[in-house]
């Protein structure tokens, strides 16, 4: 079937009329302009300058220059028919040192971006933290320090106060698992520390930061919707053996339940605390009430399934870092990640949309009543630009289509799923992997900054315009 035909067919799998159809990005991955208009340094600015941290020594000083090209980028989103755009605010643009006076020029950038989006009929969804901690706060202890959480709440209040009149949908911390465990345990991400016990404090303080921010924002106004954002994986034991089943319990505990139970049940899972032993020393009186402040929605980032074995020394970790790093699995370092034989993306991540279905149904069953949004889902593939300048990324298209079918099936099964954001709108700086891994619906030529919608973008655009998917895949 050609794209043309796809666009003109009437949908068979219809989504709710108020479903949010979007795409997502984050500040450090796209903006560039790292030294402009008073922006301070973030931990990523420091990290990318350390030898061996990022593939090919790449950095995001320019990235895809969105800071200067945002108007064209919003026009592109409008051409594609996006209903919503999820972006993050760079904390060091707003408070260059992470606390104190506001850098008005930084705030103005996001105000102009929001106005531009609204003028084009695109709903702005703001993420307050997507990993670019001001370096000054890291110097003062970083996320393992309890004070960083309070600083975050102050910053969140500044942004919410400035944009809350125009932005309805907010999320606090993107993927606290990554910020804590890749940043402070494995060292794969900034600030590159390998201190497992501190990583547990970081995870707890990122959750406290979330709760304190929600409280501060709610005190300002009640007409905005605020959510937490977690990256969840479907987890399977390799076999039914006791060791493999226990490995699955451990990884599910640290990856999924640690965050879900804290946010939605107000307690960390007992078995995870037991696994951690003396490292479980981070909770103080009142913390769990702060963390479990009621939410308007839960944002879920889903990419893959982990198959795990309790037998040490199994196949390479599915989450393997591109550079030399430790393990992010605090207290469960002996668990191995097994290749289950599914097709993989360019990241080596196994493709499994049934894992998303599993997660959505589990959430609806075990953490009921909270509306859900898929805030990231997508895939990196090694795109090829044809002589005619097109990118025929059928694998990415198929990935997104399969996951959207899963979303539809979950809605039909009663899951309160309210939106889907493809990751990512455009190719961008993929953290420790640099520019080598492309997740975009829109291809970016990093030499010229030319943007060209890939086949997947055109397909997604048609899907949004129809409000649903065509019948069974052909
Ligand atoms: O690029 C990242 C994003 O910043 C956070 N979630 C996963 C994406 C792909 O690795």
């Amino acid at each position: 079937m050609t794209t043309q035909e796809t666009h003109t067919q009437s949908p068979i799998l219809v989504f709710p009329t108020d479903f949010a159809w979007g795409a997502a990005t984050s500040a450090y991955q796209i903006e560039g302009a790292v030294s402009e208009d008073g922006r301070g340094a973030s931990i990523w600015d420091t990290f990318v300058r350390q030898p061996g941290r990022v593939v090919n020594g790449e950095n995001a000083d320019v990235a895809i220059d969105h800071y200067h090209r945002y108007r064209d980028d919003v026009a592109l989103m409008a051409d594609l028919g996006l209903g919503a755009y999820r972006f993050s605010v760079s904390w060091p643009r707003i408070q260059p040192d992470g606390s104190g006076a506001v850098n008005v020029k930084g705030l103005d950038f996001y105000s102009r971006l929001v106005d531009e989006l609204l003028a084009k009929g695109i709903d702005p969804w703001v993420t307050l933290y997507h990993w670019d901690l001001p370096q000054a706060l890291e110097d003062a202890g970083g996320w393992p320090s309890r004070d960083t959480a309070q600083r975050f709440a102050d910053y969140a209040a500044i942004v919410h106060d400035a944009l809350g009149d125009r932005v309805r949908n907010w999320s606090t911390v993107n993927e606290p698992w990554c910020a804590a465990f890749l940043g402070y345990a494995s060292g794969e991400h900034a600030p590159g520390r390998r201190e497992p016990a501190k990583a547990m404090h970081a995870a707890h303080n990122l959750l406290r930061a979330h709760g304190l921010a929600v409280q501060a924002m709610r005190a300002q106004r009640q007409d905005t919707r605020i959510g937490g954002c977690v990256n969840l994986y479907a987890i399977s034991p390799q076999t039914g053996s006791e060791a493999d089943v226990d490995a699955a319990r451990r990884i599910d505990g640290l990856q999924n339940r640690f965050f879900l139970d804290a946010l939605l049940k107000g307690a960390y899972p007992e078995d995870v605390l037991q696994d951690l032993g003396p490292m479980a020393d981070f909770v103080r009186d009142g913390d769990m009430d702060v963390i479990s402040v009621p939410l308007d929605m839960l944002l879920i980032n889903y990419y893959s399934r982990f198959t795990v074995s309790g037998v040490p020394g199994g196949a390479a970790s599915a989450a393997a870092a591109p550079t030399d790093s430790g393990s992010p699995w605090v207290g469960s370092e002996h668990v191995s990640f097994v290749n289950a034989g599914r097709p993989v993306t360019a990241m080596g991540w196994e493709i499994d949309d049934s894992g998303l279905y599993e997660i959505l149904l589990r959430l609806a069953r075990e953490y009921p009543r909270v509306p859900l949004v898929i805030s990231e889902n997508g895939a990196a593939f090694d795109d090829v630009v044809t002589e005619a300048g097109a990118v025929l990324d059928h694998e990415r298209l198929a990935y997104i289509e399969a996951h959207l079918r899963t979303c539809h099936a979950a809605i039909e099964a009663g899951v309160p799923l309210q939106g889907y954001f493809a990751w990512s709108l455009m190719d961008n700086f993929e953290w420790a992997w640099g520019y080598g891994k492309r997740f975009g619906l829109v291809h970016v030529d990093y030499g010229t900054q030319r943007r060209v919608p890939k086949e997947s973008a055109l397909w997604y655009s048609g899907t949004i315009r129809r409000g649903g998917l065509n019948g069974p895949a052909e």
Side-chain angles (χ1 to χ4, degrees):
M1 177 184 291
T2 65
T3 308
Q4 195 71 37
E5 285 162 343
T6 309
H7 287 178
T8 50
Q9 278 193 358
S10 55
I12 296 179
L13 303 181
V14 181
F15 282 69
T17 46
D18 56 356
F19 193 75
W21 294 97
T25 63
S26 88
Y28 188 71
Q29 292 178 275
I30 64 165
E31 285 178 1
V34 293
S35 307
E36 273 181 58
D37 291 341
R39 179 186 179 277
S42 78
I43 53 175
W44 274 93
D45 297 296
T46 307
F47 187 74
V48 297
R49 291 193 156 62
Q50 296 168 353
R53 295 297 202 180
V54 177
V55 172
N56 296 328
E58 290 169 340
N59 64 54
D61 288 2
V62 176
I64 58 168
D65 198 30
H66 173 75
Y67 192 74
H68 299 115
R69 295 168 192 260
Y70 75 92
R71 285 203 174 85
D72 291 345
D73 288 340
V74 172
L76 180 58
M77 294 177 217
D79 285 349
L80 292 175
L82 285 193
Y85 172 53
R86 173 176 179 249
F87 61 94
S88 79
V89 172
S90 160
W91 187 348
R93 273 196 206 288
I94 308 302
Q95 289 179 298
D97 291 327
S99 59
V102 176
N103 175 34
V104 176
K105 283 188 175 174
L107 208 45
D108 281 352
F109 168 70
Y110 296 104
S111 190
R112 290 196 303 274
L113 173 60
V114 164
D115 287 344
E116 194 73 19
L117 288 162
L118 292 173
K120 295 269 195 263
I122 300 168
D123 196 14
W125 286 55
V126 167
T127 299
L128 285 160
Y129 184 72
H130 200 124
W131 309 350
D132 43 2
L133 183 70
Q135 181 61 43
L137 292 185
E138 175 56 30
D139 295 343
W143 283 113
S145 160
R146 288 180 66 87
D147 186 56
T148 306
Q150 190 55 58
R151 300 283 72 75
F152 177 73
D154 297 346
Y155 150 74
I158 292 167
V159 182
H160 189 251
D161 186 45
L163 305 181
D165 58 337
R166 287 158 290 158
V167 174
R168 179 149 187 265
N169 292 291
W170 295 76
S171 64
T172 53
V173 175
N174 183 70
E175 301 182 353
W177 185 92
C178 294
F181 298 121
L182 300 181
Y184 293 90
S186 72
E188 180 187 349
H189 280 188
R193 287 164 61 179
R194 293 189 198 169
E195 301 166 51
K198 295 278 188 197
M200 292 315 309
H201 285 255
H204 181 62
N205 288 329
L206 282 152
L207 287 166
R208 288 181 53 244
H210 155 83
L212 291 168
V214 175
Q215 288 176 341
M217 292 156 78
R218 287 251 167 79
Q220 291 176 322
R221 55 193 309 149
Q222 291 78 49
D223 57 351
T224 50
R225 298 174 77 220
I226 312 175
C229 174
V230 285
N231 54 320
L232 304 179
Y233 283 80
I235 317 271
S236 305
Q238 184 182 21
T239 71
S241 75
E242 206 177 307
D244 289 357
V245 170
D246 192 58
R249 175 197 63 74
R250 279 173 176 271
I251 300 304
D252 179 50
L254 207 54
Q255 177 76 53
N256 299 328
R257 287 181 291 118
F258 183 85
F259 296 94
L260 292 171
D261 285 14
L263 290 169
L264 301 171
K265 294 184 174 169
Y268 290 119
E270 268 309 316
D271 62 307
V272 176
L273 296 179
Q274 271 175 26
D275 291 345
L276 291 170
M279 280 191 285
D281 63 349
F282 38 82
V283 182
R284 295 210 194 145
D285 277 356
D287 284 358
M288 301 315 292
D289 291 338
V290 169
I291 292 172
S292 59
V293 58
L295 297 178
D296 299 306
M297 56 187 163
L298 181 73
L299 285 80
I300 303 149
N301 297 354
Y302 174 81
Y303 289 92
S304 188
R305 179 189 294 276
F306 288 152
T307 303
V308 295
S309 160
V311 181
S317 163
T323 49
D324 178 35
S325 68
S327 167
W329 304 104
V330 178
S332 300
E333 289 84 356
H334 64 279
V335 171
S336 51
F337 291 73
V338 177
N339 181 337
R342 296 185 186 87
V344 295
T345 69
M347 301 294 285
W349 298 349
E350 293 193 17
I351 301 170
D352 185 10
D353 57 284
S354 78
L356 178 59
Y357 189 76
E358 206 171 289
I359 285 172
L360 288 172
L361 263 77
R362 177 189 191 179
L363 287 169
R365 190 177 59 242
E366 294 177 22
Y367 307 88
R369 285 182 293 282
V370 60
L372 306 175
V373 173
I374 303 297
S375 39
E376 284 184 27
N377 176 242
F381 287 106
D382 296 328
D383 295 325
V384 175
V385 184
T386 66
E387 271 182 31
V391 179
L392 306 176
D393 59 335
H394 295 137
E395 290 168 298
R396 183 175 294 102
L397 188 161
Y399 179 102
I400 294 178
E401 179 176 24
H403 287 78
L404 274 171
R405 282 182 192 283
T406 294
C407 289
H408 187 270
I411 293 170
E412 293 278 287
V415 173
L417 181 63
Q418 299 184 337
Y420 176 93
F421 289 77
W423 183 271
S424 177
L425 174 67
M426 298 175 281
D427 292 335
N428 58 48
F429 179 75
E430 178 56 22
W431 308 111
W433 295 92
Y435 295 98
K437 306 290 181 193
R438 293 177 178 270
F439 277 88
L441 295 174
V442 173
H443 182 268
V444 179
D445 178 324
Y446 295 125
T448 62
Q449 296 292 358
R450 182 156 181 258
R451 276 84 157 131
V452 175
K454 302 176 192 175
E455 188 75 4
S456 58
L458 303 176
W459 174 87
Y460 190 47
S461 173
T463 300
I464 295 171
R465 292 202 157 96
R466 286 192 310 271
L469 297 158
N470 287 325
E474 295 169 33

